[in-house]
Amino acid sequence: MKTEAVVLPHDPHWDEARVAWNLAVDQQPAAVALPESAADVMAVVRWARSRGLRVAPQGTGHSAAAMGSLAHTVLVKTERMRGVEIDAERRIARVEAGVLWAEVSEAAAVHGLAALAGSSPDVGVVGYSLGGGISWLARRYGLAANSITAVELVNADGELVRADADNESELFWALRGGGGSFGVVTALEFQLYPIAELYAGVLFFPIERGKEVLHAWRNWLEDVPDEVTSVGRFLQFPPIPDIPEPLRGGSFVVVEATSLLDEAATDELLRPLRELGPAIDTFAAIPIERLSSLHMDPEHPVPGAADGMLLRDFPEEAIDAIVGAAGAGSGSPLLSVEVRHLGGALGRMQPGHGALATIEAGFAMFAVGMAMTPELGAAVRVHIEVVQAALASWDAGRDYLNFTERRERGERLFGSTTFRRLQSVKAKVDPKDVFRSNHPVRLPGGRLRKAA
Ligand SMILES: Cc1cc2nc3c(=O)[nH]c(=O)nc-3n(C[C@H](O)[C@H](O)[C@H](O)COP(=O)(O)OP(=O)(O)OC[C@H]3O[C@@H](n4cnc5c(N)ncnc54)[C@H](O)[C@@H]3O)c2cc1C
């Protein structure tokens, strides 16, 4: 391992090395490793174990808030591992651990192919996919985790293993939805889909029309096919130069959607929503790689606080509750409160699926606010709890790992049967609990690690 691949607290680059994408999180690990290859990762894991340290893999730090203390832990940041290969004939992508979604989407688009990318261009492919992965194509193609065809990872012995349907099949199952508790993933292979272009856009309405628009969206969902994935959302843009006019400083209720139907069928489908008279209508046929800007997520590190919940359903009373908590006049400091329509392929179990086989919920809520100071962060967190409390009657009883930024019990993330199976895999592949994840699968019996 090259000496510059490990940064220690006395190093002049320490603050730069330990920073997470979420700038509100102050990461204080024992060391930061910046591997460039699988061989470097093997050396880092052995180096950490020889010093009795634990290992926490991190791609970008989008989900750094959930990690908790990194004491006695080497933070393995994979940001230098950025190889992307597209096998257009087999429709398979192979990406190294530090690759961001925009990088894959662009490389695949050259071949008229699409990956099940998340809404944000700079979320890490690996963290997103290990946690499930709800994309803009989710209702048609399911969770990204279930499109993974192979995983290469460095295990607790510092050895590189390949897990797929035929080798290490139980580990392969666990990695697809069970998160980052089983090793440091060095590369992923996953399926791509033949989509070069699709119909997508946003309808913006003044936030004061929240109730009317969300009710209309909810009614509209009754008839949409799996080819359509959509989101109902409150957006309150700050008055900063990063936000283009005419959105800058504005507050809106929006419907965002993607459609794999042809333009005429999509136009016909959208008619009832367009008849509401949106202030801005951006729907158009777009090249697939432009999808990563549809959700208007920040494309560089920001300080933020976020959390989500899964909803059984989103009936009229739930809409009224979310309007009261996050709509006009609610005093909400949140930048975005969104409700994503799930169902379709997300709810259909297929043979060969991984640990997160389906999402047993009709909708997912995710709320986020800027945390420029600790006080603002605290106000945002309090208000996210207000939104969650308002929707508590529709709580699906489970949480989605990728949309959970607080510590949550494994049973709530995975269900008790799946969680026990994940614990058995953990006990087999990492009996000393070397690997730390943002949402850890603890060893059976709640055993906590004492020494690596
Ligand atoms: C703006 C924004 C938009 C988002 N949009 C979506 C979305 O559309 N759909 C969705 O499903 N989620 C979405 N998310 C949630 C996102 O998927 C999670 O935050 C995810 O954990 C991010 O992965 P990361 O690698 O970028 O983050 P990191 O914080 O780097 O990683 C999160 C966890 O993944 C694991 N991990 C990462 N790399 C490795 C590795 N090499 N080996 C082993 N484990 C690893 C670790 O357990 C780590 O703690 C969004 C989040 C944000 C902030």
Side-chain angles (χ1 to χ4, degrees), residues 76-171:
V76 179
K77 294 178 78 171
T78 57
E79 64 200 36
R80 295 183 178 174
M81 298 174 67
R82 297 295 262 269
V84 178
E85 290 164 37
I86 306 292
D87 182 336
E89 208 164 300
R90 289 170 57 231
R91 294 185 186 150
I92 295 282
R94 180 182 191 280
V95 308
E96 288 189 319
V99 169
L100 308 179
W101 268 123
E103 295 163 353
V104 189
S105 300
E106 280 162 24
V110 171
H111 304 279
L113 297 171
L116 302 185
S119 63
S120 169
D122 70 347
V123 156
V125 175
V126 172
Y128 165 96
S129 302
L130 298 186
I134 298 178
S135 73
W136 275 121
L137 308 173
R139 283 172 38 80
R140 172 67 181 81
Y141 293 107
L143 289 163
N146 292 317
S147 277
I148 297 176
T149 53
V151 184
E152 288 167 23
L153 97 167
V154 172
N155 67 16
D157 295 326
E159 287 162 357
L160 186 63
V161 298
R162 183 178 165 94
D164 58 28
D166 302 319
N167 309 292
E168 304 282 353
S169 57
E170 194 62 5
L171 175 60

XYZ file of all heavy atoms in Angstrom, residues 76-171:
701
model
N -12.531 4.030 4.875
C -11.961 3.677 3.561
C -12.775 4.388 2.484
O -13.888 3.971 2.157
C -11.966 2.146 3.344
C -11.403 1.804 1.968
C -11.144 1.463 4.422
N -12.228 5.484 1.989
C -12.941 6.277 0.982
C -12.505 5.808 -0.403
O -11.335 5.858 -0.747
C -12.651 7.768 1.192
C -13.231 8.251 2.518
C -12.939 9.693 2.788
C -13.821 10.613 2.006
N -13.672 12.013 2.443
N -13.496 5.400 -1.181
C -13.183 4.744 -2.463
C -13.187 5.734 -3.632
O -13.209 5.320 -4.791
C -14.207 3.630 -2.745
O -15.512 4.230 -2.735
C -14.147 2.531 -1.707
N -13.128 7.024 -3.345
C -13.319 8.050 -4.395
C -12.280 8.006 -5.515
O -12.512 8.567 -6.585
C -13.332 9.442 -3.746
C -12.013 9.803 -3.083
C -12.160 10.927 -2.060
O -13.183 10.985 -1.367
O -11.226 11.744 -1.953
N -11.136 7.338 -5.283
C -10.126 7.263 -6.360
C -10.352 6.067 -7.282
O -9.640 5.908 -8.267
C -8.724 7.187 -5.748
C -8.359 8.460 -4.990
C -6.944 8.401 -4.463
N -6.602 9.637 -3.778
C -5.469 9.833 -3.114
N -4.563 8.874 -3.048
N -5.230 10.979 -2.524
N -11.309 5.217 -6.957
C -11.541 4.002 -7.759
C -12.710 4.288 -8.706
O -13.866 4.058 -8.373
C -11.839 2.828 -6.830
C -10.658 2.529 -5.917
S -10.996 1.260 -4.677
C -11.203 -0.193 -5.698
N -12.413 4.769 -9.904
C -13.457 5.346 -10.755
C -13.610 4.677 -12.114
O -14.195 5.253 -13.029
C -13.163 6.837 -10.978
C -13.195 7.659 -9.717
C -14.589 7.701 -9.114
N -15.280 8.905 -9.496
C -15.243 10.038 -8.789
N -14.558 10.098 -7.661
N -15.900 11.098 -9.196
N -13.126 3.427 -12.247
C -13.236 2.765 -13.552
C -14.680 2.391 -13.900
O -15.425 1.923 -13.042
N -15.066 2.625 -15.156
C -16.389 2.231 -15.648
C -16.196 1.476 -16.963
O -15.533 1.979 -17.866
C -17.285 3.468 -15.940
C -18.645 3.038 -16.511
C -17.475 4.331 -14.702
N -16.754 0.272 -17.060
C -16.710 -0.471 -18.337
C -18.134 -0.859 -18.706
O -18.892 -1.327 -17.849
C -15.910 -1.767 -18.167
C -14.422 -1.568 -17.982
C -13.776 -2.844 -17.438
O -14.185 -3.958 -17.831
O -12.888 -2.705 -16.589
N -18.474 -0.652 -19.958
C -19.811 -1.030 -20.435
C -19.651 -2.153 -21.455
O -18.944 -1.988 -22.451
C -20.533 0.168 -21.110
C -20.572 1.395 -20.191
C -21.937 -0.234 -21.600
C -21.435 1.274 -18.966
N -20.282 -3.294 -21.185
C -20.342 -4.370 -22.168
C -21.707 -4.236 -22.851
O -22.727 -4.738 -22.345
C -20.191 -5.724 -21.448
C -20.189 -6.895 -22.425
O -20.741 -6.734 -23.530
O -19.664 -7.955 -22.064
N -21.709 -3.532 -23.993
C -22.987 -3.178 -24.629
C -23.720 -4.423 -25.121
O -24.946 -4.488 -25.086
C -22.733 -2.211 -25.779
N -22.957 -5.419 -25.550
C -23.602 -6.625 -26.088
C -24.362 -7.380 -24.999
O -25.510 -7.754 -25.176
C -22.509 -7.514 -26.687
C -23.017 -8.375 -27.795
C -21.853 -8.928 -28.582
O -21.053 -8.139 -29.141
O -21.733 -10.164 -28.558
N -23.698 -7.538 -23.856
C -24.347 -8.262 -22.741
C -25.226 -7.340 -21.899
O -25.893 -7.765 -20.971
C -23.282 -8.907 -21.843
C -22.577 -10.090 -22.508
C -21.364 -10.550 -21.689
N -21.708 -10.921 -20.322
C -21.094 -10.463 -19.236
N -20.092 -9.604 -19.333
N -21.465 -10.848 -18.033
N -25.199 -6.042 -22.199
C -25.928 -5.026 -21.410
C -25.568 -5.116 -19.925
O -26.424 -5.210 -19.050
C -27.433 -5.172 -21.573
C -27.889 -4.874 -22.979
C -29.406 -4.924 -23.038
N -29.880 -4.789 -24.393
C -30.994 -5.324 -24.868
N -31.762 -6.046 -24.083
N -31.351 -5.123 -26.109
N -24.236 -5.112 -19.684
C -23.732 -5.186 -18.308
C -22.735 -4.045 -18.102
O -21.888 -3.783 -18.963
C -23.014 -6.543 -18.060
C -23.988 -7.723 -18.154
C -22.260 -6.546 -16.737
C -24.870 -7.949 -16.954
N -22.850 -3.378 -16.953
C -21.838 -2.386 -16.567
C -20.975 -2.981 -15.467
O -21.478 -3.714 -14.609
C -22.509 -1.119 -16.055
N -19.670 -2.663 -15.498
C -18.786 -3.026 -14.387
C -18.194 -1.719 -13.883
O -17.560 -0.988 -14.653
C -17.675 -3.971 -14.838
C -16.750 -4.358 -13.699
C -15.616 -5.256 -14.175
N -14.906 -5.818 -13.034
C -13.994 -5.150 -12.338
N -13.646 -3.917 -12.673
N -13.402 -5.733 -11.298
N -18.432 -1.408 -12.615
C -17.921 -0.132 -12.099
C -17.112 -0.376 -10.840
O -17.424 -1.261 -10.042
C -19.068 0.879 -11.800
C -19.987 1.032 -13.000
C -19.861 0.520 -10.567
N -16.096 0.437 -10.678
C -15.306 0.362 -9.441
C -16.031 1.108 -8.319
O -16.978 1.878 -8.558
C -13.913 0.940 -9.686
C -13.065 0.004 -10.539
C -11.614 0.449 -10.617
O -11.362 1.677 -10.741
O -10.741 -0.424 -10.573
N -15.525 0.920 -7.103
C -16.289 1.304 -5.910
C -16.577 2.793 -5.769
O -17.538 3.182 -5.118
C -15.562 0.799 -4.667
N -15.752 3.652 -6.379
C -15.952 5.088 -6.153
C -16.766 5.788 -7.232
O -16.898 7.017 -7.225
N -17.348 5.004 -8.144
C -18.041 5.608 -9.302
C -19.368 6.243 -8.873
O -20.090 5.705 -8.032
C -18.243 4.532 -10.396
C -19.173 5.018 -11.487
C -16.895 4.135 -10.974
N -19.659 7.410 -9.467
C -20.906 8.132 -9.194
C -21.925 7.790 -10.281
O -21.552 7.445 -11.416
C -20.647 9.642 -9.185
C -19.498 10.111 -8.287
C -19.338 11.628 -8.381
C -19.738 9.690 -6.831
N -23.202 7.990 -9.967
C -24.241 7.586 -10.928
C -24.125 8.297 -12.262
O -24.315 7.701 -13.327
C -25.637 7.751 -10.333
C -26.090 6.477 -9.686
C -26.480 6.311 -8.398
C -26.172 5.178 -10.293
N -26.795 4.984 -8.163
C -26.611 4.276 -9.315
C -25.898 4.680 -11.570
C -26.801 2.920 -9.570
C -26.086 3.326 -11.833
C -26.528 2.463 -10.835
N -23.816 9.597 -12.251
C -23.762 10.329 -13.522
C -22.721 9.715 -14.456
O -22.917 9.677 -15.677
C -23.436 11.793 -13.263
N -21.627 9.200 -13.877
C -20.557 8.632 -14.703
C -21.035 7.373 -15.439
O -20.709 7.158 -16.602
C -19.334 8.325 -13.822
C -18.726 9.599 -13.244
C -17.781 9.372 -12.067
O -17.666 8.231 -11.567
O -17.171 10.357 -11.633
N -21.829 6.549 -14.762
C -22.342 5.333 -15.410
C -23.428 5.702 -16.415
O -23.461 5.158 -17.530
C -23.002 4.385 -14.382
C -23.313 3.045 -15.036
C -22.137 4.189 -13.186
N -24.310 6.608 -16.009
C -25.431 6.952 -16.898
C -24.896 7.477 -18.218
O -25.392 7.123 -19.291
C -26.329 8.004 -16.243
O -26.831 7.503 -15.039
N -23.871 8.319 -18.140
C -23.318 8.890 -19.376
C -22.624 7.816 -20.219
O -22.803 7.762 -21.436
C -22.350 10.029 -19.045
C -23.119 11.307 -18.726
C -22.297 12.342 -17.995
O -21.059 12.323 -18.107
O -22.923 13.168 -17.286
N -21.859 6.947 -19.573
C -21.144 5.903 -20.323
C -22.127 4.917 -20.955
O -21.935 4.466 -22.098
C -20.181 5.166 -19.392
N -23.208 4.592 -20.252
C -24.190 3.636 -20.788
C -24.992 4.274 -21.925
O -25.319 3.605 -22.912
C -25.125 3.169 -19.671
N -25.284 5.570 -21.788
C -26.117 6.267 -22.784
C -25.468 6.259 -24.166
O -26.170 6.231 -25.183
C -26.382 7.694 -22.330
N -24.149 6.241 -24.200
C -23.437 6.197 -25.486
C -23.891 4.977 -26.293
O -23.907 4.993 -27.515
C -21.899 6.149 -25.227
C -21.125 5.888 -26.502
C -21.443 7.415 -24.516
N -24.283 3.912 -25.587
C -24.712 2.666 -26.247
C -26.237 2.528 -26.267
O -26.763 1.443 -26.507
C -24.107 1.466 -25.510
C -22.616 1.535 -25.404
N -21.787 1.172 -26.436
C -21.811 1.974 -24.402
C -20.522 1.356 -26.070
N -20.513 1.849 -24.835
N -26.944 3.623 -25.952
C -28.414 3.546 -25.926
C -28.925 2.724 -24.753
O -29.995 2.130 -24.820
N -28.147 2.693 -23.667
C -28.528 1.874 -22.506
C -28.723 2.740 -21.273
O -28.129 3.818 -21.140
C -27.438 0.830 -22.229
C -27.215 -0.200 -23.343
C -25.968 -1.030 -23.063
C -28.441 -1.108 -23.485
N -29.552 2.240 -20.353
C -29.824 2.969 -19.111
C -29.520 2.090 -17.911
O -29.767 0.884 -17.932
C -31.295 3.373 -19.068
N -29.009 2.736 -16.845
C -28.806 2.045 -15.568
C -29.916 2.498 -14.620
O -30.544 3.533 -14.851
C -27.446 2.418 -15.002
N -30.122 1.745 -13.555
C -31.171 2.112 -12.591
C -30.611 3.130 -11.600
O -30.515 2.883 -10.396
C -31.712 0.862 -11.893
C -32.303 -0.198 -12.835
C -32.930 -1.344 -12.046
C -33.346 0.423 -13.781
N -30.243 4.295 -12.113
C -29.580 5.344 -11.329
C -30.560 6.039 -10.391
O -31.743 6.140 -10.687
C -28.994 6.381 -12.289
N -30.026 6.557 -9.287
C -30.850 7.327 -8.360
C -31.124 8.722 -8.904
O -30.679 9.085 -9.995
N -31.837 9.492 -8.108
C -32.257 10.812 -8.576
C -31.089 11.786 -8.624
O -31.148 12.795 -9.313
C -33.346 11.360 -7.653
O -32.836 11.549 -6.347
N -30.022 11.494 -7.895
C -28.933 12.460 -7.776
C -27.719 12.012 -8.596
O -27.283 10.865 -8.483
C -28.540 12.564 -6.301
O -27.363 13.281 -6.172
N -27.157 12.898 -9.419
C -26.034 12.472 -10.270
C -24.785 12.081 -9.496
O -23.993 11.283 -9.968
C -25.764 13.712 -11.139
C -26.413 14.862 -10.440
C -27.540 14.288 -9.629
N -24.599 12.637 -8.268
C -23.336 12.344 -7.579
C -23.478 11.424 -6.374
O -22.582 11.334 -5.549
C -22.577 13.637 -7.242
C -23.245 14.450 -6.165
O -24.409 14.162 -5.844
O -22.594 15.376 -5.635
N -24.594 10.694 -6.292
C -24.680 9.620 -5.291
C -23.784 8.474 -5.775
O -23.648 8.238 -6.981
C -26.151 9.160 -5.097
C -26.242 7.745 -4.553
C -26.886 10.117 -4.166
N -23.174 7.756 -4.851
C -22.292 6.649 -5.202
C -23.094 5.421 -5.639
O -24.084 5.063 -5.012
N -22.628 4.771 -6.701
C -23.327 3.588 -7.228
C -23.361 2.479 -6.171
O -24.393 1.826 -5.967
C -22.624 3.075 -8.510
C -23.248 1.784 -8.998
C -22.665 4.142 -9.595
N -22.238 2.287 -5.469
C -22.159 1.133 -4.565
C -23.056 1.311 -3.336
O -23.891 0.452 -3.033
C -20.691 0.856 -4.158
C -20.633 -0.211 -3.069
C -19.895 0.394 -5.372
N -22.933 2.440 -2.624
C -23.752 2.643 -1.421
C -25.236 2.567 -1.754
O -26.020 1.899 -1.062
N -25.624 3.230 -2.817
C -27.028 3.251 -3.271
C -27.510 1.836 -3.580
O -28.595 1.430 -3.162
C -27.070 4.146 -4.505
C -28.293 4.081 -5.388
C -29.335 4.996 -5.236
C -28.388 3.156 -6.431
C -30.440 4.962 -6.081
C -29.480 3.120 -7.269
C -30.503 4.025 -7.097
O -31.587 4.001 -7.935
N -26.697 1.075 -4.320
C -27.149 -0.250 -4.769
C -27.174 -1.258 -3.623
O -28.061 -2.112 -3.565
C -26.236 -0.773 -5.888
O -26.224 0.128 -6.975
N -26.207 -1.186 -2.691
C -26.214 -2.125 -1.564
C -27.424 -1.875 -0.665
O -27.897 -2.766 0.031
C -24.934 -1.990 -0.721
C -23.593 -2.295 -1.404
C -22.463 -2.256 -0.377
C -23.603 -3.642 -2.103
N -27.910 -0.619 -0.651
C -29.054 -0.289 0.210
C -30.400 -0.518 -0.461
O -31.445 -0.330 0.152
N -30.417 -0.851 -1.733
C -31.677 -1.079 -2.457
C -31.635 -0.368 -3.797
O -31.337 -0.950 -4.820
N -31.874 0.964 -3.770
C -31.771 1.752 -4.993
C -33.098 1.953 -5.699
O -33.503 1.132 -6.529
N -33.780 3.046 -5.345
C -35.052 3.386 -6.010
C -34.752 4.428 -7.083
O -34.406 5.570 -6.767
C -36.075 3.945 -5.002
C -36.401 2.891 -3.936
C -37.339 4.402 -5.723
C -37.367 3.368 -2.863
N -34.886 4.021 -8.342
C -34.535 4.898 -9.461
C -35.795 5.483 -10.097
O -36.920 5.167 -9.703
C -33.798 4.080 -10.529
O -34.733 3.236 -11.188
N -35.589 6.284 -11.111
C -36.708 6.828 -11.889
C -37.374 5.757 -12.741
O -38.392 6.012 -13.380
C -36.209 7.956 -12.793
C -36.151 9.290 -12.122
C -35.062 10.082 -11.959
C -37.257 10.018 -11.554
N -35.412 11.243 -11.309
C -36.750 11.217 -11.057
C -38.626 9.737 -11.412
C -37.561 12.170 -10.422
C -39.428 10.669 -10.785
C -38.899 11.869 -10.300
N -36.782 4.565 -12.815
C -37.365 3.481 -13.613
C -37.847 2.347 -12.702
O -38.098 1.230 -13.142
C -36.325 2.944 -14.607
C -35.638 4.014 -15.476
C -34.508 3.403 -16.299
C -36.654 4.694 -16.390
N -37.972 2.681 -11.401
C -38.162 1.638 -10.387
C -39.450 0.850 -10.544
O -39.475 -0.358 -10.314
C -38.116 2.266 -9.004
N -40.524 1.514 -10.917
C -41.794 0.779 -10.992
C -41.783 -0.212 -12.160
O -42.504 -1.190 -12.170
C -42.968 1.763 -11.106
C -43.287 2.408 -9.760
C -44.307 3.522 -9.887
N -45.348 3.263 -10.838
C -46.443 2.501 -10.629
N -46.613 1.922 -9.460
N -47.334 2.340 -11.577
N -40.937 0.027 -13.135
C -40.853 -0.885 -14.282
C -39.798 -1.977 -14.056
O -39.999 -3.130 -14.394
C -40.527 -0.062 -15.542
C -40.219 -0.847 -16.778
C -41.442 -1.615 -17.293
N -41.111 -2.379 -18.487
C -40.518 -3.556 -18.477
N -40.207 -4.133 -17.329
N -40.239 -4.185 -19.599
N -38.627 -1.573 -13.459
C -37.502 -2.521 -13.382
C -37.102 -2.918 -11.956
O -36.145 -3.658 -11.767
C -36.279 -1.946 -14.116
C -36.500 -1.825 -15.612
C -36.695 -0.584 -16.209
C -36.542 -2.959 -16.414
C -36.915 -0.471 -17.579
C -36.764 -2.863 -17.784
C -36.950 -1.617 -18.365
O -37.172 -1.514 -19.714
N -37.795 -2.403 -10.941
C -37.511 -2.811 -9.564
C -36.289 -2.126 -8.971
O -35.756 -1.151 -9.517
N -35.850 -2.654 -7.840
C -34.712 -2.067 -7.120
C -33.400 -2.317 -7.868
O -33.191 -3.403 -8.420
C -34.595 -2.701 -5.739
C -35.680 -2.316 -4.736
C -35.720 -3.303 -3.577
C -35.436 -0.892 -4.226
N -32.506 -1.335 -7.810
C -31.194 -1.494 -8.444
C -30.457 -2.709 -7.874
O -29.744 -3.413 -8.594
C -30.365 -0.221 -8.246
N -30.631 -2.968 -6.582
C -29.931 -4.099 -5.943
C -30.224 -5.404 -6.677
O -29.362 -6.282 -6.783
C -30.364 -4.219 -4.482
N -31.440 -5.519 -7.185
C -31.833 -6.772 -7.827
C -31.435 -6.838 -9.294
O -31.716 -7.826 -9.975
C -33.327 -7.017 -7.609
C -33.589 -7.304 -6.139
O -32.832 -8.053 -5.512
N -34.594 -6.673 -5.574
N -30.765 -5.790 -9.778
C -30.162 -5.841 -11.117
C -28.654 -6.094 -11.032
O -27.964 -6.128 -12.054
C -30.403 -4.524 -11.864
O -31.687 -4.556 -12.452
N -28.130 -6.240 -9.804
C -26.692 -6.547 -9.655
C -26.461 -7.993 -10.085
O -27.207 -8.900 -9.693
C -26.236 -6.369 -8.184
C -26.389 -4.909 -7.749
C -24.797 -6.833 -8.001
C -26.042 -4.680 -6.276
N -25.408 -8.203 -10.877
C -25.104 -9.572 -11.328
C -23.844 -10.139 -10.655
O -23.645 -11.348 -10.655
C -24.931 -9.614 -12.858
O -23.965 -8.609 -13.219
C -26.243 -9.321 -13.575
N -22.993 -9.279 -10.122
C -21.797 -9.767 -9.410
C -21.230 -8.653 -8.532
O -21.369 -7.465 -8.853
C -20.732 -10.231 -10.406
N -20.625 -9.070 -7.426
C -19.989 -8.119 -6.511
C -18.581 -8.620 -6.208
O -18.406 -9.797 -5.891
C -20.767 -8.029 -5.168
C -20.166 -6.964 -4.269
C -22.252 -7.766 -5.395
N -17.598 -7.736 -6.317
C -16.250 -8.092 -5.875
C -16.004 -7.344 -4.581
O -16.274 -6.137 -4.504
C -15.225 -7.687 -6.940
C -15.320 -8.599 -8.162
C -14.569 -8.062 -9.364
O -13.638 -7.261 -9.183
O -14.953 -8.435 -10.486
N -15.541 -8.053 -3.557
C -15.289 -7.347 -2.296
C -14.104 -7.938 -1.558
O -13.727 -9.101 -1.773
C -16.547 -7.310 -1.423
C -16.780 -8.319 -0.304
C -17.912 -7.838 0.575
C -17.107 -9.662 -0.879
N -13.522 -7.084 -0.711
C -12.426 -7.520 0.142
C -13.036 -7.895 1.481
O -13.758 -7.102 2.097
C -11.367 -6.407 0.283
C -10.316 -6.791 1.326
C -10.708 -6.144 -1.071
N -12.791 -9.146 1.904
C -13.431 -9.641 3.124
C -12.576 -9.328 4.363
O -11.531 -8.664 4.275
C -13.762 -11.137 2.978
C -12.498 -11.992 2.904
O -11.401 -11.542 3.237
N -12.670 -13.233 2.460
N -13.032 -9.836 5.501
C -12.380 -9.507 6.771
C -10.962 -10.068 6.866
O -10.156 -9.602 7.680
C -13.239 -10.034 7.922
N -10.635 -11.063 6.038
C -9.260 -11.590 6.017
C -8.386 -10.811 5.041
O -7.234 -11.200 4.796
C -9.262 -13.073 5.616
C -9.976 -13.923 6.654
O -9.873 -13.570 7.848
O -10.646 -14.898 6.271
N -8.937 -9.788 4.446
C -8.161 -8.999 3.483
C -8.041 -9.691 2.144
O -7.142 -9.397 1.361
N -8.960 -10.630 1.868
C -8.917 -11.343 0.584
C -10.011 -10.837 -0.347
O -11.102 -10.483 0.112
C -9.159 -12.847 0.814
C -7.970 -13.522 1.437
C -8.348 -14.862 2.047
O -9.537 -15.223 2.024
O -7.424 -15.513 2.561
N -9.688 -10.857 -1.657
C -10.664 -10.418 -2.650
C -11.536 -11.612 -3.045
O -11.017 -12.659 -3.436
C -9.922 -9.886 -3.880
C -10.778 -9.250 -4.963
C -11.490 -8.002 -4.461
C -9.913 -8.898 -6.184
N -12.863 -11.456 -2.916
C -13.763 -12.542 -3.334
C -14.774 -11.993 -4.336
O -15.042 -10.789 -4.369
C -14.521 -13.185 -2.144
C -13.582 -13.819 -1.158
C -15.414 -12.169 -1.446
N -15.296 -12.888 -5.135
C -16.325 -12.505 -6.097
C -17.595 -13.266 -5.727
O -17.581 -14.486 -5.569
C -15.856 -12.871 -7.506
C -16.834 -12.445 -8.581
C -16.287 -12.796 -9.956
N -17.341 -12.723 -10.954
C -17.594 -11.656 -11.702
N -16.877 -10.559 -11.558
N -18.567 -11.656 -12.586
N -18.668 -12.506 -5.553
C -19.951 -13.133 -5.199
C -20.924 -12.932 -6.345
O -21.102 -11.808 -6.825
C -20.499 -12.501 -3.918
N -21.521 -14.033 -6.790
C -22.565 -13.934 -7.813
C -23.529 -15.096 -7.595
O -23.469 -15.784 -6.575
C -21.971 -13.890 -9.230
C -21.113 -15.097 -9.548
O -21.360 -16.186 -8.964
O -20.180 -14.979 -10.370
N -24.409 -15.335 -8.558
C -25.432 -16.365 -8.349
C -24.816 -17.747 -8.132
O -25.412 -18.605 -7.477
C -26.379 -16.384 -9.540
N -23.591 -17.981 -8.647
C -22.994 -19.321 -8.552
C -21.887 -19.432 -7.510
O -21.506 -20.533 -7.127
C -22.410 -19.731 -9.924
C -23.474 -19.707 -11.006
O -24.602 -20.149 -10.706
O -23.203 -19.201 -12.110
N -21.316 -18.301 -7.118
C -20.210 -18.337 -6.136
C -20.582 -17.465 -4.948
O -21.052 -16.345 -5.149
C -18.925 -17.731 -6.740
C -18.605 -18.349 -8.062
O -18.259 -19.518 -8.133
N -18.778 -17.571 -9.123
N -20.331 -17.984 -3.736
C -20.646 -17.205 -2.529
C -22.083 -16.681 -2.624
O -22.352 -15.496 -2.395
C -19.678 -16.012 -2.378
C -18.208 -16.388 -2.351
C -17.792 -16.931 -0.998
O -18.591 -16.904 -0.052
O -16.646 -17.415 -0.910
N -23.016 -17.599 -2.930
C -24.363 -17.124 -3.269
C -25.092 -16.513 -2.068
O -25.913 -15.610 -2.234
C -25.187 -18.244 -3.906
O -25.222 -19.337 -3.027
N -24.779 -16.986 -0.857
C -25.453 -16.413 0.318
C -24.952 -14.985 0.573
O -25.727 -14.086 0.904
C -25.213 -17.334 1.525
C -26.086 -17.081 2.720
C -27.601 -17.272 2.489
O -28.026 -17.704 1.399
O -28.355 -16.933 3.418
N -23.648 -14.779 0.386
C -23.083 -13.423 0.512
C -23.659 -12.522 -0.589
O -24.024 -11.367 -0.335
C -21.555 -13.514 0.404
C -20.783 -12.196 0.399
C -21.033 -11.413 1.690
C -19.273 -12.457 0.236
